[in-house]
Amino acid sequence: MYSPSRKDFIALTLSDQHSRSYNNGKHRRQSCWRKWKQLSRLQRSLILFLLALLLIFGLLFYPSFSEQWGGRPLSPLSLAVSLLYLHAAIDVSQHAPVLCVCVCRMCLLCIVSVKPVDRLEMVREAFRHAWKGYKEFAWGHDELKPVSKSYGEWFGLGLTIIDALDTMWILGLKEEFEEARKWVETELSFSKNVDVNLFESTIRILGGLLSTYHLTGDEMFLEKAKDIGLRLMPAFKTPSKIPFSDVNIGKGTAHPPRWTSDSTLAEVTSVQLEFRELSRLTHDPQYQEVVNEVMRLVHKLPGKHDGLVPMFINTNSGQFTHKGVFTLGARADSYYEYLLKQWIQGGKTEPDLLEDYLEAIEGVKKHLLRTSGPRKLTFVGELNHNRFNPKMDHLVCFLPGTLALGAHNGLPEDHMELALQLMETCHQMYIQMETGLSPEIVHFNLQPYDGRDVDVKPADRHNLLRPETVESLFYLYRFTKDAKYRDWGWDILESFNKYTRVPSGGYTSISNVRDPVNPGPRDKMESFFLGETLKYFYLLFSDDLELLSLDKYVFNTEAHPLPIWQLPPV
Ligand code: DMJ
C-alpha cells in the first residue's frame, strides 16, 4: 500500500498551496490559456519538447551540482516521482496550466530533496566520538584502547590530549579544548623519571604545544613548550652531535636504544622545525644550533645515492650505517619532508636545504619510480643493494602533498605532475581494498598481464588510522581546487566510520583491510588520529582557504602548524 513519505507530503502540500493561488490568479491564467490555444499543434509540441529536454538535463546534472555543495544526489524516490510528473505533463499537453504546475512542482521537489551533508560537521562528530572514548576510559593517559575500554601508556604524558589541542581549536570545539587546556595547566608535568623518544615527543608534544600557542596566544602553552624543549636537549650531547633516540626527561640523561648506537635518519632530521621555532620564540639560539648542526653534518656526509639517504646514522661516528637500502617509507620519510619544510619555514633563504631536496627528488625519479603493469599506477618503490623492490609503505603517501607544496613554492612543475600521479596511486591503495581503507604496505605488480595492481601480504594488512593520504588530499585540494580530492577524502572518512568506529567511543586500528566482515579491531587509537587525520579531514572539507593558509604556515610532520618566518633565520 502506498503511504506518502515526508517528501511526498511536502510535494502534496505545495500542490495544495498552488491550487489556492491558482484560483486567485484565475483570470490571468485564462488569458495565458487562450494564447496557448492560439498556437499551432507543431508549435505547442516544440515548446513541450524543449521543456522536457530542459527537465531531463536538469535531472541529469543535478547530482554533480548537489555533490559540489556537499549534498546527496536526488534520491531514487524523488527521481521516480519527478519522472512521473514529467510523463504526466507531456500526456496532458492539451492542458498547459497543468504542465506549469508540474514544472513548478518538480523544481520544488528537487529543492526539498537536497539533504546537504555537512562534511565539516561530520568531522567534528567523529572527533567528539573519539574524544568521548578517550575521556571516559583513558583520560590523562597516552592512548585510548577503545575495545577493552582502557588505556595504553607510552611516555605517560597524556599524549592524546597534547596532540589533539590544536585540532580542537581549529574545529571550534571550545568545551573540549577548555577541559584539555585545564589538564595541561594543572596536571601535565614533565618532571618525570621517564624515557621518551626524542622524535616522537618533539613532533607530538613540542610541536603540539607550539602550534597551540600560536593559534591561541596563550603563554601557558609556550611555557610548557620551553619546559619540554629544554628537557630534550641532553639527546644532542653525543660524540658526533647526531642525537640519541631516547631521553630521560626527569634525569636529564640520554641514550641510544639497547641494541644499537645508531639513530634513525628520519628521526634525527625531523625535529628541526620545532627546535628552530622554539629558538625564535625564546630568543635562545641553543635549540636551533643543535638541530642545524645535524642538518649540516648530513648535508656533507658521504654515502648518499643521488640525494637518497640510508636509513640509519651512528651517534658515535656520525656516519651512515646499513648503507645500500633506500626508501621514502619508514625511517627515512620525514627527512625529505623536512628539507622542503625547513626551507619554507626560513623564508627560502637556506640554499643547502633546497639543494638536498631537489637532488633527492631527482634520486627518487631515477631509482625508485615505476609504474604498475595493469593500470600503470605510478609508485615509489625501494632499493635494496641495487635490487628494486616494488614495495610502498602507506607512509610514502605524504609525498604527493610535499611535492605539491614544493611546486606551489616555485619548484619545478614536473613535481606537481608527479604529485598528481602519486595521489591517484594512494587513492587506489584505498579503493582497491574491500573495506575502502589502505593497508600499511602494498607490493605493486609489475606484470602487464595479471589483473591486480597491488598485492598485500598477510602481515601488512593492518590500518593504523594513519593520516598521510588525507594529508596529501588536503594539499592537492588547496592547490588544484579539484572537488574529486574532497570526495576521495569523504569516502575514506566513511570507511573509517564503518570499520574502525567503536560504539562506546573512539576509533580503533584494524588488522585486516581486506576483510569487511571481520576487519579485526586491534584495540588502539593512536594520538595522531586526533592530531593529524581528523585535522586534515577538516581542512580538506573547509571552504575557508585562508584557514591556516599554506603561504603563512608550515605543518610539522604531526600536522601541527607553525608560522613561516617573516625574517630570515639568524
Ligand atoms: C605520525 O606520527 C607522523 O606523521 C610521522 O611522521 C609518521 N608516523 C605518524 C603517522 O603515520
Side-chain angles (χ1 to χ4, degrees):
M1 195 177 72
Y2 171 75
S3 66
S5 68
R6 189 172 156 267
K7 269 179 236 153
D8 299 335
F9 178 73
I10 294 170
L12 291 169
T13 315
L14 289 168
S15 153
D16 284 352
Q17 284 166 359
H18 182 86
S19 352
R20 276 197 295 277
S21 63
Y22 178 74
N23 287 336
N24 293 343
K26 197 172 169 188
H27 294 295
R28 196 157 33 87
R29 279 184 185 80
Q30 274 176 349
S31 96
C32 182
W33 176 233
R34 263 199 304 277
K35 278 184 192 153
W36 172 258
K37 285 198 80 177
Q38 282 164 9
L39 297 175
S40 75
R41 199 182 170 84
L42 182 73
Q43 282 171 321
R44 274 186 268 165
S45 304
L46 210 68
I47 291 171
L48 285 173
F49 178 71
L50 284 173
L51 272 173
L53 225 85
L54 213 72
L55 280 168
I56 287 166
F57 272 107
L59 289 171
L60 278 178
F61 286 107
Y62 174 77
S64 55
F65 283 131
S66 71
E67 279 196 349
Q68 270 187 20
W69 281 72
R72 286 190 186 287
L74 203 59
S75 72
L77 176 67
S78 311
L79 191 66
V81 175
S82 302
L83 286 172
L84 270 174
Y85 278 136
L86 177 63
H87 182 252
I90 292 167
D91 240 23
V92 295
S93 60
Q94 305 306 319
H95 308 285
V98 179
L99 176 65
C100 294
V101 174
C102 292
V103 171
C104 292
R105 197 175 289 169
M106 282 182 65
C107 295
L108 286 165
L109 205 70
C110 287
I111 291 164
V112 296
S113 68
V114 176
K115 269 204 235 132
V117 174
D118 186 341
R119 290 177 171 180
L120 292 179
E121 194 43 48
M122 292 306 284
V123 181
R124 279 195 208 98
E125 193 280 328
F127 186 97
R128 282 197 199 98
H129 184 75
W131 192 247
K132 173 183 179 288
Y134 176 76
K135 220 179 126 178
E136 211 167 321
F137 309 118
W139 185 250
H141 299 284
D142 284 338
E143 287 161 346
L144 168 68
K145 294 174 91 174
V147 180
S148 57
K149 300 182 181 165
S150 59
Y151 57 83
E153 216 66 289
W154 190 7
F155 308 146
L157 295 172
L159 213 50
T160 296
I161 298 182
I162 307 174
D163 221 359
L165 281 166
D166 57 5
T167 305
M168 289 182 260
W169 184 263
I170 294 162
L171 269 57
L173 300 172
K174 294 203 175 111
E175 216 177 280
E176 292 82 354
F177 177 82
E178 281 311 323
E179 58 195 355
R181 188 208 173 277
K182 193 165 172 223
W183 182 88
V184 172
E185 186 179 32
T186 58
E187 306 283 324
L188 176 63
S189 167
F190 295 127
S191 174
K192 256 189 164 177
N193 178 9
V194 61
D195 278 352
V196 303
N197 175 282
L198 169 71
F199 164 73
E200 297 291 356
S201 51
T202 298
I203 64 168
R204 299 184 200 216
I205 301 176
L206 181 55
L209 291 168
L210 287 174
S211 73
T212 310
Y213 165 66
H214 277 296
L215 295 175
T216 61
D218 185 339
E219 294 283 333
M220 187 271 291
F221 293 111
L222 181 57
E223 289 309 312
K224 293 281 179 189
K226 280 189 221 166
D227 188 8
I228 185 70
L230 203 60
R231 288 170 187 276
L232 292 173
M233 287 297 277
F236 296 88
K237 285 193 189 124
T238 67
S240 65
K241 300 193 178 155
I242 298 294
F244 288 132
S245 60
D246 298 285
V247 195
N248 186 304
I249 53 172
K251 289 188 191 158
T253 54
H255 59 87
R258 262 193 298 275
W259 57 92
T260 175
S261 54
D262 287 353
S263 283
T264 300
L265 205 277
E267 293 194 354
V268 302
T269 54
S270 311
V271 291
Q272 278 66 14
L273 290 176
E274 300 81 357
F275 276 80
R276 282 156 51 111
E277 178 59 11
L278 188 57
S279 271
R280 197 181 68 91
L281 289 171
T282 58
H283 307 288
D284 180 348
Q286 64 168 321
Y287 308 106
Q288 74 181 30
E289 276 168 11
V290 290
V291 295
N292 284 347
E293 180 61 14
V294 177
M295 295 314 293
R296 266 195 295 275
L297 291 169
V298 173
H299 174 67
K300 53 181 200 230
L301 207 58
K304 289 187 210 147
H305 190 40
D306 290 326
L308 304 176
V309 287
M311 293 149 68
F312 295 99
I313 188 162
N314 190 272
T315 49
N316 292 321
S317 67
Q319 300 297 311
F320 289 129
T321 64
H322 300 76
K323 291 183 195 161
V325 182
F326 300 100
T327 173
L328 260 80
R331 300 203 162 95
D333 49 359
S334 44
Y335 159 72
Y336 303 100
E337 178 189 351
Y338 268 37
L339 285 176
L340 178 75
K341 289 184 173 177
Q342 286 177 81
W343 178 68
I344 293 171
Q345 178 191 43
K348 307 180 188 174
T349 55
E350 297 150 288
D352 288 355
L353 294 167
L354 178 62
E355 189 190 306
D356 288 352
Y357 178 73
L358 290 173
E359 198 189 341
I361 300 305
E362 288 313 302
V364 170
K365 287 197 266 182
K366 190 167 167 192
H367 301 290
L368 304 183
L369 222 53
R370 296 279 193 288
T371 49
S372 65
R375 299 188 55 180
K376 309 284 171 244
L377 298 177
T378 303
F379 69 94
V380 181
E382 298 184 353
L383 210 56
N384 199 330
H385 299 282
N386 290 324
R387 269 181 70 113
F388 181 77
N389 182 1
K391 161 182 180 271
M392 180 164 146
D393 294 351
H394 180 271
L395 287 169
V396 182
C397 288
F398 81 92
L399 190 58
T402 298
L403 286 167
L405 181 65
H408 176 72
N409 279 281
L411 302 191
E413 221 9 73
D414 68 339
H415 286 204
M416 190 62 188
E417 283 155 31
L418 183 55
L420 299 178
Q421 290 166 17
L422 290 172
M423 191 74 262
E424 171 68 37
T425 303
C426 292
H427 168 58
Q428 291 292 333
M429 284 164 63
Y430 281 72
I431 63 169
Q432 293 197 12
M433 299 300 124
E434 286 76 354
T435 55
L437 292 172
S438 169
E440 179 74 357
I441 299 169
V442 296
H443 284 79
F444 284 88
N445 175 12
L446 298 171
Q447 304 307 318
Y449 315 108
D450 195 352
R452 292 192 89 96
D453 286 290
V454 289
D455 179 37
V456 190
K457 305 213 182 304
D460 303 334
R461 294 187 173 176
H462 48 292
N463 179 295
L464 305 183
L465 312 170
R466 284 198 192 276
E468 290 76 17
T469 295
V470 188
E471 169 186 352
S472 284
L473 288 171
F474 156 64
Y475 283 101
L476 264 72
Y477 179 73
R478 281 271 172 114
F479 298 137
T480 66
K481 315 280 183 312
D482 187 337
K484 80 176 176 196
Y485 296 122
R486 284 179 157 184
D487 294 339
W488 293 357
W490 179 246
D491 292 342
I492 296 173
L493 181 59
E494 287 201 308
S495 292
F496 276 136
N497 273 326
K498 195 163 177 193
Y499 296 106
T500 72
R501 189 174 161 113
V502 179
S504 49
Y507 289 75
T508 177
S509 46
I510 54 172
S511 291
N512 192 353
V513 295
R514 308 223 60 172
D515 187 350
V517 178
N518 182 18
R522 283 192 158 194
D523 197 17
K524 184 169 163 117
M525 183 174 79
E526 297 269 2
S527 76
F528 55 66
F529 183 63
L530 284 80
E532 291 195 72
T533 314
L534 292 177
K535 186 188 291 149
Y536 282 130
F537 272 129
Y538 189 86
L539 294 173
L540 169 66
F541 299 141
S542 173
D543 286 329
D544 181 1
L545 303 185
E546 282 307 300
L547 177 60
L548 300 172
S549 157
L550 291 168
D551 295 317
K552 294 187 184 135
Y553 289 92
V554 64
F555 286 80
N556 86 340
T557 193
E558 188 76 6
H560 298 303
L562 299 172
I564 294 172
W565 302 341
Q566 298 306 308
L567 294 172
V570 279

